[in-house]
Amino acid sequence: MKLRKLSAATAILATGALVLSGCTPGGDNDDAEAEETSNGENGGNTDAITAEGQQFTTEPEDTGKADTSDLETMDDEISVSIGETEFISYQGFTPETYSTYNSVVVNRLFDGFGYWGTDNVWYPNEDFGSYEVTSEDPFTVEYTIGEDVSWSDGTPVTVADYVLDWAYQNAELTNSDDEPLFNGISQTYGERVLEGPQGDPEGKTFTIEYTEPFADWEILVGSALPAHVVAEQSDMELDELVTAVREADTEALEPAAEFWNDGWFTDPGEFPDEELIPVTGPYKLDNWQAGESLTITANEEYWGSAPGTERIVYRFVNDGQHVQALENGDLNIARPQATVDTRGQLERLEDDFVLHEGEAATWEHLDFNFNDGAFSDSLELREAFAMCVPRQQIVSNLIEPVNPEASVLNARESLSFEENYEEIVSESYEGTYDEVDVEGAREILEAEDAVGTEVRIGYAGPNPRRTDTVAEIQASCDEAGFEIVDEGSEDFFAPGGALETGDYEVALFAWAGSGQVVSGQNIYSTDRPQNYGGYSNETVDDLFNQLATTEDADEQQEIIIGIEQELWGDLFGIPLYVHPQLSGSDITISNVRDTASQDQIMWNAEQWQRAE
Amino acid sequence: MYSYVLKRLLSAIAVLFGASLLVFVLVINSGDPLLELRESNADNVEFLIQQRIDFMNLDQPWYSRYWIWLSGIAGCAVGACDFGTNMSGQDVGAMVANSASSTLRLVFLATILSIIIGILTGIVTAIRQYSSLDYAVSFFVFLFFSLPVFWAAVLAKDWMGITYNNWLREPHFSWTQIFMVAAVAAILVPLIIGGSARRRLLTGAVMFGFVMIAMPLLDSLNYAREPRLGPALITLLGIGLAFGLTALLSGLRNRSVLYSALTVVGLGLVSYYATFWLLIDPPGGWLSIVGLFVVTIAVAVLVGRTMGGHAKGQAVAVSVITASLFAVMVLLDHFMRAWPEFLGMKPRPIATIGSSSPNFSGDFWQVSLDQGTQLILPTTILMLVSVATYTRYTRSSMLEAVNQDYIRTARAKGVNERTVVFKHAFRNSMIPLTTIVAFDFAGLIGGAVVVEQVFGWSGMGNMFVTGLSNADPAPVMAFTLITGAAAVLFNLIADLTYAVLDPRIRV
């Protein structure tokens, strides 16, 4: 077995050498570009996921995409599944269609100004275009779309597309009932940028001016839908559409909005007419068997470097069935449930499949109830509870069997695979709760005359892992004098459930990280919608307001350290661990890399290629 | 009669209405459609939650949500059904249209096959009551019946899917395998055929020898990758069938029946050559195949009626069955012809997921083979359970019939055993079975939920499960309505069939 791994490593080296020696003219460029990215402020050097035996045509240098411009499209098909939830629509920007499962398809169809790296960090996509901050006050960003970037129907991608992109996120554009014209997924863009993208609608350069600096400015503008299709379908000229948006002529915009909201919706299994669904990315929609599979094929009009494989087939299969489907060759790449069993099954197949193991951008935590109950006004009791929670034991018993590299999470605003994690933790957390201290907890409880305090731990059940977590806590904290009650129930989060009524002391659940800098504001600031426990700390509120308007990464990190210090000091809650993630891929397919970001293993699908 | 049917239909509508109300209330209270959003860390999550509340009318009381759904369904009365939309805004009516076809294909095939297999084993075990065969069959039937479907599916995928596909790359039997199969055949076949100890021993020895010769022969012909029947083998088997069926249904002494069956075989051979080129690429696909089958049956009926003499009825029955089985063999021959090329296109024919391979294109035979190979695993799993019920019901209902006075009378009259079993006992034992079939069909649609999930089919079951886990009522309601309607409809059909089978129950 060892011999095999060794030979795999040799093979990688050999492939790398081949690639380097094989394309001398491109070689220099490769190096230059690689240096540029590694000098940039974005991203770390190590993936959140490791995959022993994985082959690459070009070895990645950081957590962004490697340069694979030397790939030629191979007439081949790769089947992949990330779950049974089906694709919905080409139009993935409405609340009904926006989901991970739709995005993993749609993001292959549209290129944009950037993408998420494997550690959930935003990388600019320099092939598509560039952006830079041109003024700090007012905060202004200039975007330039690449000269040759165009839709697959030949229309160049222009500022007009990005004007429409702003329009759908602008809640100021309302219909006669005072409801937003566009049924869009987000309204942040319209709130932050009042005038929309400025520039010649037929040109390639536009600027956007923020009302105040914005921490997540980089990810605000990404890919756009085809404005020329929307214009044509609503019987307008493209410049008429742009003018209508800029003048907020809602009456003129109504047909365009109507098409934007409904025009791309079709019944499952059918795509809209081909001229309605041009793409800017390496793939286009090809074939959809409702409920079973969806195929995307290489976009022959693609302006960028060619994708590695002609056809990618998404199969909508329950993740419990993935391993056998992999083994039988029905799937080539799959993301089964991250459990000990699946891990064992994938390990058994290691001669033919690569096991990608690591961490997802989802993390588990215990949050206190600050509205009422024992912990709401007693920092001492919260401390005592934190002292008796066996975090390392929970990770060792429940997570390490799935991900041997797992460790206890010691921060909230940065996850353990992120590059700045170590620094943030070292400056905000002193290791106070690394060791279980039942004695210490008991002393506090006795001093507070609180021995026997009932602690109801609520979570959305049934969830065996959380039940086990509560059991571990129970074993340790009951000894310290708490009385832990497992309050897991199906309607914990539901209206009328324990979270809403406040019938819990500690909530156990997970947040799905988005990669945004200020998403924590909703959780930790006073009276915010996701601040379920009713936590309030003026310093934290101020810091988040400050963070939201800071665009410099170093300053952001300083503020985050401040926030973490406060949250540890107050014991908002106790972070536990980052969720493990497992994927399997056929060993003959090169360049497969799993990622913590929401596009999952699909994120670099255009780089996949089967070795001949 | 009409007023009876009308009354049944009206009560069916009332039942469906009640069921839909109950299920709707249960579904919308079964979970939290906002759950995934509550744990989302997006910065505009409040906005998203509000959007979904508006879209799914979550802020309205249950009765007004039900009313919205019901008024869409009420459109069916005027031919404009609206099943509503799911939480992603997809039209549930279109989803039903998509998923119903694959579910029906699965359930229909499984039902037909399990009826045939179940009733045959039921009859055999009833005839050989308390024999070791009876005990063995009972044991396996109960074993299959109690298998958890999802677990059986995993095993089936492993053995019938992955292992078979691996084997198919270089298909060879080892001598151990051949010996094992021969031994099983040598024990099993005499148990079914029965007879004196000497006869059993003889059948066992013949079976053993047959398998020991046949399997290496097939192996050397590379039969698993290049199977074929050919006209000669088909004719030979056809003649065998003609004799066997005549012996079973009317006795070999009845020459006119035997001759009509043999004529059918002869005509079959002629038609094999006549339709050979037509069937290379059948125009209209299954349509022309079904058309040819209908012609075959018509010809067989004609032959039976003209040649049957005084035993027209039996001659027709034997001719029709011979012709049907002959047609099946011809069809099989054509499929076998397409198999080697099909293997080139799909090297691992048995897939563990999906109702067809994505992007598979080929001629009629290849596409049908693709769909067929995808059907094998789920159909087998679905069959296991219902074969068990059919076998047990047939057995007990046969035994009950066999112990009736009229059977004793028939035997006393000197009627031969064949006629006693098929004419007097079997026909009467069919009556209670009709009810089971009706229930089972609707039950299988429900039972297909797990099978579809496990095999990644996008059928009705999948729609139901996804809808339920999202507390999204529209897809669940569509499922309830359709399975409910199927249950009610098949029960009605069963009641009407009763009247046909048993003249005493005329309304």
Side-chain angles (χ1 to χ4, degrees), chain A residues 91 94 96 180-184 256-265:
Chain A
Q91 150 65 298
T94 71
E96 286 82 51
L181 269 183
F182 293 91
N183 180 28
E258 206 171 296
F259 177 79
W260 195 94
N261 293 341
D262 297 321
W264 279 303
F265 275 90

Side-chain angles (χ1 to χ4, degrees), chain A residues 77 84 87-88 95-97 183-188 214 265-269 286-293 295 311 313 315-318 321 324-325 327-331 363 460 466 490 493-495 509-514 516 518-520 522-523 529-530 532, chain B residues 30-32 34-49 51-52 55 86-91 94-95 98 102 153-155 157-158 161-162 165-166 348 350-360 374 453-459 462 465-466:
Chain A
E77 190 171 288
E84 65 190 319
F87 170 76
I88 303 163
E96 286 82 51
T97 56
N183 180 28
I185 183 75
S186 158
Q187 298 177 342
T188 321
F214 178 43
F265 275 90
T266 47
D267 290 336
D286 181 48
N287 180 9
W288 179 10
Q289 263 181 289
E292 301 218 345
S293 71
T295 308
R311 287 179 304 281
V313 183
R315 305 204 62 173
F316 310 118
V317 182
N318 180 282
Q321 317 307 327
Q324 280 189 313
E327 196 178 352
N328 197 30
D330 304 322
L331 293 176
W363 58 285
R466 286 182 184 154
E490 225 160 273
F493 277 110
F509 62 107
W511 287 123
S514 60
Q516 291 160 321
V518 288
S519 55
N522 272 340
I523 303 173
Q530 289 182 295
Y532 297 136
Chain B
S30 69
D32 178 9
L34 300 173
L35 187 68
E36 45 162 347
L37 290 177
R38 286 182 216 277
E39 281 192 80
S40 157
N41 210 351
D43 63 354
N44 61 338
V45 70
E46 202 177 4
F47 171 71
L48 295 177
I49 289 179
Q51 294 258 31
R52 186 171 290 178
F55 186 76
N86 69 359
M87 69 200 295
S88 308
Q90 287 172 311
D91 181 26
M95 287 167 71
N98 268 320
S102 59
V154 170
L155 292 185
K157 281 180 177 187
D158 207 40
I162 298 167
N165 288 336
N166 288 343
R348 297 180 71 85
I350 311 284
T352 60
I353 48 170
S355 64
S356 61
S357 313
N359 306 315
F360 187 90
Q374 304 282 107
Q453 184 99 9
V454 174
F455 287 98
W457 284 48
S458 75
N462 211 5
V465 171
T466 320

Side-chain angles (χ1 to χ4, degrees), chain B residues 313-330:
Chain B
Q314 286 177 342
V316 168
V318 171
S319 311
V320 165
I321 298 178
T322 315
S324 316
L325 292 176
F326 197 90
V328 169
M329 285 196 291
V330 174

Side-chain angles (χ1 to χ4, degrees), chain B residues 223-497:
Chain B
Y223 210 75
R225 295 192 67 91
E226 289 162 14
R228 66 222 101 161
L229 281 177
L233 195 57
I234 293 180
T235 314
L236 217 63
L237 288 170
I239 292 171
L241 271 177
F243 274 96
L245 284 169
T246 312
L248 200 65
L249 293 181
S250 71
L252 279 176
R253 267 192 232 152
N254 203 335
R255 292 291 158 165
S256 54
V257 173
L258 180 65
Y259 291 149
S260 62
L262 286 173
T263 313
V264 165
V265 173
L267 287 174
L269 185 65
V270 174
S271 70
Y272 174 81
Y273 285 107
T275 59
F276 189 81
W277 294 107
L278 178 73
L279 284 177
I280 290 293
D281 185 18
W286 284 108
L287 215 63
S288 58
I289 295 204
V290 170
L292 284 175
F293 188 71
V294 170
V295 173
T296 311
I297 299 294
V299 169
V301 170
L302 206 67
V303 170
R305 288 195 71 83
T306 46
M307 297 183 61
H310 65 279
K312 276 200 183 70
Q314 286 177 342
V316 168
V318 171
S319 311
V320 165
I321 298 178
T322 315
S324 316
L325 292 176
F326 197 90
V328 169
M329 285 196 291
V330 174
L331 195 66
L332 199 64
D333 184 59
H334 279 273
F335 273 117
M336 286 178 165
R337 220 165 267 285
W339 182 254
E341 206 174 326
F342 172 72
L343 276 187
M345 303 163 81
K346 194 180 172 194
R348 297 180 71 85
I350 311 284
T352 60
I353 48 170
S355 64
S356 61
S357 313
N359 306 315
F360 187 90
S361 61
D363 62 18
F364 166 75
W365 299 104
Q366 289 155 352
V367 170
S368 306
L369 271 177
D370 176 51
Q371 290 180 351
T373 45
Q374 304 282 107
L375 261 173
I376 291 176
L377 291 186
T379 310
T380 311
I381 297 299
L382 212 50
M383 260 170 49
L384 282 185
V385 177
S386 34
V387 162
T389 23
Y390 286 131
T391 307
R392 293 311 290 177
Y393 275 110
T394 313
R395 181 179 176 275
S396 60
S397 137
M398 269 300 272
L399 285 177
E400 199 180 329
V402 166
N403 291 328
Q404 295 288 326
D405 287 344
Y406 57 79
I407 297 287
R408 197 176 326 138
T409 314
R411 285 201 174 118
K413 275 198 305 188
V415 178
N416 62 21
E417 188 63 18
R418 188 195 62 242
T419 319
V420 169
V421 169
F422 281 98
K423 202 159 183 184
H424 296 280
F426 177 61
R427 194 168 166 180
N428 281 300
S429 69
M430 279 292 283
I431 296 168
L433 268 178
T434 327
T435 329
I436 310 295
V437 175
F439 270 116
D440 210 55
F441 189 78
L444 271 182
I445 298 184
V449 170
V450 181
V451 173
E452 282 171 16
Q453 184 99 9
V454 174
F455 287 98
W457 284 48
S458 75
M460 309 272 301
N462 211 5
M463 200 171 84
F464 172 82
V465 171
T466 320
L468 191 61
S469 62
N470 291 331
D472 185 6
V476 180
M477 295 311 291
F479 176 88
T480 313
L481 215 55
I482 286 171
T483 43
V488 169
L489 184 73
F490 275 87
N491 270 314
L492 187 63
I493 293 176
D495 283 353
L496 298 180
T497 322

